[in-house]
Amino acid sequence: MCSAIGLFLGDFQTAIYFGLFVQLIWLGNLPVGASITPEGNLASAIGCVLYVQFNESYIAFGQLLLLIVFFYTIIVSYFGGQLDVAMRKFNIRLFNYTISSINDQKKANVGKIAFLALLLQYSVLFIFILLTIHAGNLLFSNISDFFSEEYTPLWQYTNVAIVGVGVGMVMSVYKGRDLKKIILAVSIFGLILFKII
């Protein structure tokens, strides 16, 4: 998704760079039991748009933008997951209403109910995307004044830290040592490749 956003916004390299980091986090994320799965895809798209949009204005601060947008993406993914659960519960109520209408011999149009549920889901997610991008725009355009270039060394290894966390999360999912070595090698190679490019 980040690659497609990069092509659309005209900055493919920046978008795919951001996508590499968030992808590692979501690969290691497995829903366990009744835990709510974060909405990683939607949050990654929102984070990618913001990262590409503010990349030039944060160029003097090293990897500060990556750090801030990464945390913002995690927060958005949490709220997106909560919204997804709420929409599913609403769809279950719609489905139950449709079933009871059919059982009561009323005229229940299942097609219209399904269309209404899809339209509502699309509308809610569209509004969520607009609101979170707008909130990100307000946040990132206002906080840049509070940072100074002298603190750049504090976050110069942000990409390495995020890759380390992501690789650790992915490796914890797999049991085989050989597969873990391959994941680690590919991740390090990807990071070095982006550093060279």
Side-chain angles (χ1 to χ4, degrees):
M1 185 176 289
C2 289
S3 306
I5 289 170
L7 287 172
F8 181 75
L9 296 178
D11 195 348
F12 180 76
Q13 183 177 348
T14 302
I16 202 168
Y17 178 76
F18 181 77
L20 169 73
F21 295 108
V22 291
Q23 182 65 32
L24 280 172
I25 299 300
W26 307 131
L27 281 175
N29 183 26
L30 292 176
V32 179
S35 64
I36 297 173
T37 307
E39 185 53 65
N41 289 330
L42 195 64
S44 297
I46 293 163
C48 184
V49 169
L50 293 169
Y51 186 73
V52 170
Q53 184 178 346
F54 286 94
N55 190 44
E56 291 297 321
S57 56
Y58 275 77
I59 200 89
F61 303 118
Q63 298 185 48
L64 173 64
L65 180 65
L66 177 63
L67 180 65
I68 297 171
V69 175
F70 182 77
F71 280 120
Y72 187 76
T73 301
I74 300 296
I75 293 167
V76 169
S77 72
Y78 169 77
F79 287 110
Q82 298 292 327
L83 183 64
D84 190 45
V85 169
M87 290 304 300
R88 286 182 186 175
K89 287 179 180 177
F90 180 78
N91 287 339
I92 289 170
R93 287 193 196 107
L94 268 180
F95 178 76
N96 289 337
Y97 168 77
T98 306
I99 294 298
S100 64
S101 295
I102 291 171
N103 290 338
D104 290 343
Q105 308 250 331
K106 295 177 186 174
K107 290 184 178 177
N109 192 326
V110 178
K112 284 182 181 178
I113 298 285
F115 178 76
L116 176 65
L118 289 172
L119 182 65
L120 189 62
Q121 177 113 9
Y122 172 81
S123 302
V124 168
L125 290 179
F126 184 73
I127 292 168
F128 179 74
I129 290 168
L130 289 179
L131 287 175
T132 50
I133 288 178
H134 181 65
N137 279 326
L138 289 174
L139 176 68
F140 301 140
S141 35
N142 289 325
I143 64 170
S144 60
D145 298 333
F146 296 100
F147 297 109
S148 172
E149 290 183 42
E150 63 181 294
Y151 297 113
T152 301
L154 293 176
W155 46 72
Q156 65 179 332
Y157 296 111
T158 297
N159 56 358
V160 177
I162 293 174
V163 167
V165 169
V167 169
M169 290 176 70
V170 172
M171 289 174 67
S172 66
V173 175
Y174 299 98
K175 291 183 180 177
R177 284 188 178 180
D178 293 335
L179 196 53
K180 287 183 179 183
K181 289 178 185 175
I182 293 171
I183 293 168
L184 181 61
V186 169
S187 301
I188 292 172
F189 174 75
L191 184 61
I192 291 171
L193 184 66
F194 273 106
K195 280 290 189 185
I196 293 171
I197 293 173

